[in-house]
Amino acid sequence: MSILLLINEQEVKDITGMSENIDASKFRHQIQVCQDIYIKAAIGETCYDELLDSVENEDPTALETTLLDGDNRSFPGLKSALAWWVYWRAFPDMWINEGNATIQKRTSDKFESVDMEEFTMKRKEAENVATEYTNYLIKYIKKNSDTYTCYVCEGLTDLVDEGITAGVAFEWDEVSTLSESSEILRRER
């Protein structure tokens, strides 16, 4: 079974400035995870499924193409948000290797390993960018609600703002911030 992705590995690298040397296997699996958690929450499940169908059939409408790639002006597109969520979630995997019985961090003779504070700061920066791009996505859809009717009507209204920024949920008239851990807890309930 193939997994349908809204963005490819090279686009993630191009949008985020991720090193070309990073093996795509370190983050490929995060694309699907981020689509399901962040993008589906932002645009609604019905519209998310319709967008996937269009991409799968290789016939997205002009509106869907703009939603994916942006308008080359003030709206950066869904792919920008998705790429930064992938970078944020994949960041630990790019730094840490798992072996049969160990977990190791990468080191080399030419580079000094970052400490946990620097690691956390870099990851937080990626999270902030991802959140901002997701907010752009939601604001764009709301601003163009006459055009993107499906996206405005559908939304997840049972997500709660717990005062922690990291992720978003699209509601009828407001944007709520949501942490990844809050989303996991909500889904487990």
Side-chain angles (χ1 to χ4, degrees), residues 6-7 11-12 14-16 18 30-31 33-43 51 66-70 75-90 125-141 166-168:
L6 295 173
I7 193 169
E11 289 174 308
V12 171
D14 292 345
I15 291 169
T16 63
M18 185 185 295
Q30 295 293 358
I31 297 173
V33 170
C34 293
Q35 284 180 192
D36 289 345
I37 292 174
Y38 305 106
I39 301 306
K40 188 189 297 185
I43 67 175
L51 186 59
T66 300
L67 191 65
L68 286 165
D69 298 325
F75 174 58
L78 179 152
K79 288 183 179 180
S80 292
L82 180 55
W84 281 98
W85 284 122
V86 169
Y87 183 78
W88 176 71
R89 288 191 56 94
E125 179 184 320
E127 178 186 34
N128 291 340
V129 173
T131 300
E132 285 302 315
Y133 277 127
T134 306
N135 287 334
Y136 285 147
L137 169 64
I138 292 169
K139 288 175 186 174
Y140 180 80
I141 291 170
V168 297

Side-chain angles (χ1 to χ4, degrees), residues 1-185:
M1 178 177 112
S2 70
I3 296 173
L4 184 59
L5 302 177
L6 295 173
I7 193 169
N8 64 46
E9 295 91 346
Q10 189 58 50
E11 289 174 308
V12 171
K13 289 180 178 184
D14 292 345
I15 291 169
T16 63
M18 185 185 295
S19 171
E20 289 293 324
N21 297 330
I22 294 177
D23 184 359
S25 68
K26 291 285 186 185
F27 66 91
R28 182 180 302 118
H29 61 287
Q30 295 293 358
I31 297 173
Q32 179 69 46
V33 170
C34 293
Q35 284 180 192
D36 289 345
I37 292 174
Y38 305 106
I39 301 306
K40 188 189 297 185
I43 67 175
E45 187 170 355
T46 301
C47 299
Y48 173 74
D49 290 340
E50 287 181 17
L51 186 59
L52 286 177
D53 289 343
S54 293
V55 170
E56 181 177 38
N57 296 329
E58 297 180 4
D59 68 347
T61 65
L63 289 172
E64 290 169 330
T65 301
T66 300
L67 191 65
L68 286 165
D69 298 325
D71 62 8
N72 294 321
R73 298 177 79 186
S74 60
F75 174 58
L78 179 152
K79 288 183 179 180
S80 292
L82 180 55
W84 281 98
W85 284 122
V86 169
Y87 183 78
W88 176 71
R89 288 191 56 94
F91 198 73
D93 293 335
M94 292 185 279
W95 193 53
I96 298 170
N97 290 321
E98 295 179 27
N100 289 337
T102 64
I103 297 178
Q104 306 163 331
K105 67 179 182 178
R106 256 184 254 159
T107 60
S108 75
D109 294 337
K110 297 181 182 179
F111 295 98
E112 181 181 336
S113 295
V114 296
D115 62 28
M116 189 49 111
E117 183 179 334
E118 293 167 317
F119 174 85
T120 302
M121 183 180 68
K122 181 71 174 170
R123 190 161 188 249
K124 182 67 178 168
E125 179 184 320
E127 178 186 34
N128 291 340
V129 173
T131 300
E132 285 302 315
Y133 277 127
T134 306
N135 287 334
Y136 285 147
L137 169 64
I138 292 169
K139 288 175 186 174
Y140 180 80
I141 291 170
K142 288 176 73 174
K143 179 181 174 185
N144 297 285
S145 61
D146 292 343
T147 307
Y148 292 99
T149 55
C150 172
Y151 298 91
V152 174
C153 295
E154 185 69 29
L156 303 176
T157 57
D158 60 343
L159 299 176
V160 194
D161 178 6
E162 295 188 14
I164 305 169
T165 59
V168 297
F170 186 59
E171 307 243 357
W172 271 95
D173 295 321
E174 62 184 6
V175 176
S176 297
T177 56
L178 178 71
S179 71
E180 180 183 6
S181 58
S182 299
E183 171 65 7
I184 292 168
L185 289 173

